[in-house]
Amino acid sequence: MNNRLKEDNTASGWFGREPERRVDVFDKLDPEKGVTRPTGSSANMKIRAYAVEKMKEAGLDVRVDAVGNIFGRKNGVQQNVGAVMCGSHLDSVVNGGQFDGALGVFSAIEAVRRLEDEGYKNTRPIEIVVFTGEEGSAFGMTLLGSTALIGKMSYEEAAARRDQEGRTLKEALEYMGYKGDFVMDLDTVAYFVELHIEQGPVLFNKKVPVGIVENIAGIAWIYATINGEGNHAGTTPMKMRRDALTAAADIIKFVEKRANEMVDRLGSATVGTVGKLNVYPNGTNIIPGRVELGIDIRDVVSENMESLKQEVSAALKDLERKYGVSVDISLQPTHFPEPLAHEVIDVIEQSAGEVNIRSMRMNSGAGHDSQNIAKKVKTGMIFVPSVGGISHAPMEWTEWDDVENGVQVLTRTIKRLTQIREDGASMTLR
Ligand SMILES: [Zn+2]
């Protein structure tokens, strides 16, 4: 792997680490201290500036839109054909890792540099993109920049969203110097590819260097409140209790058991998690009077998600009869599963074969900007292994060899996509 790619991906781990520190091997990671780069932070500003500098050095024409999405264009031999877009995000979760998002941005820049180095003339234009606020760590929603870009939310509404300190996105962008007025028209984009860390253990455990995403899982959240009766743990006989937490325990086990059964029976990608539990009053000598649960259900098949959602809701209601509690259920808006484009999946697979890198098809259990862009543009995703399957945590890491493998597949993929003619035929690659 060449130094500039490693240097860029090491720089991305410098910004937002407290204190700023160079981490270029796994052993230098600190399990307590990761990177924190929410949109609008000074660390986010610094990494944006770094990326823009690299884009300009690579000869790209850089523009910024009204929600701070950054675009870097390399013109094609033909100008009036749909562009090939490629990129990811530079914001992070609080105390996250240095590869999530940033790797996809710097890999895209590196791919353009490599194509330039070999003197390749791209037929279609190439657009590098940096999406604003993918993680939702500052402005209360995930996929912010891409949601505005596809028109699911207006730029005005997005720019008016406020962070925890009450600052609007518009103010945060002005502070960073990334409030632009460019308008990207996705009708001028033919293909989108995002390289990203897998954020799960599959590639790492199977020792396969590249994953090709077929579907991005949908997500359904259920919030439930179980109301029982808080009372004295010593004086209330067992037969006279309405314990909200023992009722909640049924649901925790039910979600786990049913999701497992679906996987066994359907071979599905179903996952179900009760990740949040608030117990009131939360005292050792008090019977829990109220419990709030946050339930996360994901699948790449809508019907599976829907049926598990229904079953969990029914089981929650059933607690009223079994435990004498009352249950309030709040179903949050569902993000539906998003299939990615067969055409792009095939190109990525061919490209991996051409550069002799093993790949496998898989699904993404995590959300990505790609799921938004896929609604408008033929989209594909390339995954590289996460060491130990860890992400959104300080120990998130991807080995440099795997970074290199991913970039090689990405470069080849971009090259192929830029050569696809309007009639869908592909030209012969050198
Ligand atoms: Zn990400």
Side-chain angles (χ1 to χ4, degrees), residues 23 92 113 284:
V23 176
S92 80
R113 292 189 295 223
T284 304

Side-chain angles (χ1 to χ4, degrees), residues 24 37 102 121 126 155-156 180 204 233 251 256 259 296 330 344-345 348 357 388-389 404 407 411 420 428:
D24 54 4
R37 289 191 302 258
K121 297 272 174 270
I126 299 172
Y155 286 103
E156 294 71 32
F204 182 75
I251 295 302
E256 199 232 6
D296 178 302
S330 163
V344 183
I345 290 169
I348 297 170
I357 291 170
E404 173 60 26
V407 171
T411 306
I420 295 175
T428 321

Side-chain angles (χ1 to χ4, degrees), residues 89 100-101 134-135 196 199 368:
H89 61 95
D100 184 346
E134 192 270 350
E135 299 286 7
H196 204 279
Q199 302 184 265
H368 295 288

Side-chain angles (χ1 to χ4, degrees), residues 13-28:
W14 175 281
F15 304 118
R17 208 181 284 279
E18 201 55 61
E20 287 184 346
R21 191 165 65 84
R22 188 180 159 83
V23 176
D24 54 4
V25 289
F26 180 83
D27 291 343
K28 286 191 196 166

